[in-house]
Amino acid sequence: AQSVTQPDIHITVSEGASLELRCNYSYGATPYLFWYVQSPGQGLQLLLKYFSGDTLVQGIKGFEAEFKRSQSSFNLRKPSVHWSDAAEYFCAVGSFMFSGGYNKLIFGAGTRLAVHP
Amino acid sequence: DVKVTQSSRYLVKRTGEKVFLECVQDMDHENMFWYRQDPGLGLRLIYFSYDVKMKEKGDIPEGYSVSREKKERFSLILESASTNQTSMYLCASSFGQASNNEQFFGPGTRLTVL
């Protein structure tokens, strides 16, 4: 069965430090992978997605992620964290629901990021 | 910009009440989704609709039903609310059939069942 694992429930970094959030997936075929961010009191916003091509994808707000098929990973990175990046981050994999090819997203449990000044 | 709105940000109901959560999107999206979000579990799909009057069960449909009478509106119904349905409910919409299409989310409704 398809699944997404985010090993880190909470991460705390200092402002200006680099960030890497881990995501591992289990999926039989080539996966469609997403990172979403949820700021306090808000819905989810798409940061970036991968479905083919270059394995390093750039997203909004200075985030990037690298798809590594051999490790079944899609880790999110940012070189210098800002206080406004404090939020919860969700990794997701797209999965076919039925023969029509509709996309069902399977989410990880999320990683809550705290940023120290 | 796509906008997905949900009728309430916070809702408090009593056990056994019938509860309606409403979601409206303004971008003519074919697909609409209802998720619940619980700490440590991420988002889990309750129901999905790919067209007016069409619906599909997600991973946790028990205790819920849905209605989609108009393309822009997707309602989640708790026929008889129970305390274990206390959660954050998120609505989303997306365009077309491509599996890599982005889902756009509403702000969520935090439901408390007493």
Side-chain angles (χ1 to χ4, degrees):
Chain A
Q2 300 94 340
S3 65
V4 176
T5 302
Q6 294 180 245
D8 304 304
I9 298 173
H10 290 101
I11 283 185
T12 300
V13 299
S14 298
E15 193 168 17
S18 63
L19 172 70
E20 182 169 30
L21 302 182
R22 296 183 291 163
C23 172
N24 293 97
Y25 66 90
S26 171
Y27 190 72
T30 299
Y32 298 117
L33 295 161
F34 304 78
W35 273 100
Y36 282 85
V37 61
Q38 185 179 34
S39 298
Q42 304 294 316
L44 275 69
Q45 180 184 21
L46 181 70
L47 282 175
L48 48 80
K49 65 181 181 182
Y50 170 81
F51 51 95
S52 67
D54 193 346
T55 56
L56 184 64
V57 294
Q58 302 297 322
I60 62 170
K61 304 186 181 189
F63 285 92
E64 66 178 25
E66 186 170 13
F67 170 60
K68 293 185 176 179
R69 184 186 299 276
S70 61
Q71 298 177 19
S72 297
S73 69
F74 188 56
N75 294 348
L76 182 71
R77 300 194 295 248
K78 187 169 185 178
S80 178
V81 170
H82 188 262
W83 64 267
S84 60
D85 293 324
E88 190 155 21
Y89 292 79
F90 292 94
C91 181
V93 63
S95 171
F96 288 107
M97 267 199 275
F98 52 91
S99 61
Y102 294 104
N103 182 23
K104 164 184 174 179
L105 290 182
I106 300 170
F107 285 86
T111 297
R112 187 170 294 279
L113 174 66
V115 180
H116 276 189
Chain B
D1 279 352
V2 174
K3 191 153 187 178
V4 180
T5 57
Q6 295 184 228
S7 52
S8 304
R9 294 299 299 273
Y10 299 93
L11 209 53
V12 179
K13 296 293 182 181
R14 297 237 175 244
T15 301
E17 280 192 78
K18 190 169 185 176
V19 181
F20 293 87
L21 303 183
E22 305 285 341
C23 175
V24 177
Q25 50 93 5
D26 66 358
M27 283 301 290
D28 204 34
H29 283 172
E30 291 88 343
N31 309 314
M32 296 188 75
F33 307 80
W34 275 107
Y35 295 90
R36 65 176 281 174
Q37 180 182 5
D38 300 289
L41 296 178
L43 278 72
R44 292 178 291 166
L45 182 65
I46 305 172
Y47 266 98
F48 158 64
S49 169
Y50 57 92
D51 201 351
V52 175
K53 298 190 186 297
M54 306 304 289
K55 61 186 180 184
E56 292 286 335
K57 292 180 180 180
D59 297 317
I60 52 165
E62 296 79 18
Y64 304 93
S65 62
V66 290
S67 172
R68 192 161 181 208
E69 297 296 318
K70 294 184 178 181
K71 191 174 185 180
E72 69 270 18
R73 187 180 297 270
F74 191 36
S75 302
L76 180 70
I77 303 157
L78 287 64
E79 294 288 342
S80 178
S82 64
T83 55
N84 63 11
Q85 293 178 309
T86 292
S87 186
M88 170 72 88
Y89 290 88
L90 292 169
C91 176
S93 71
S94 71
F95 170 73
Q97 294 188 8
S99 296
N100 60 341
N101 283 347
E102 175 184 355
Q103 291 186 19
F104 294 86
F105 284 82
T109 295
R110 186 167 294 282
L111 172 67
T112 301
V113 182
L114 302 175

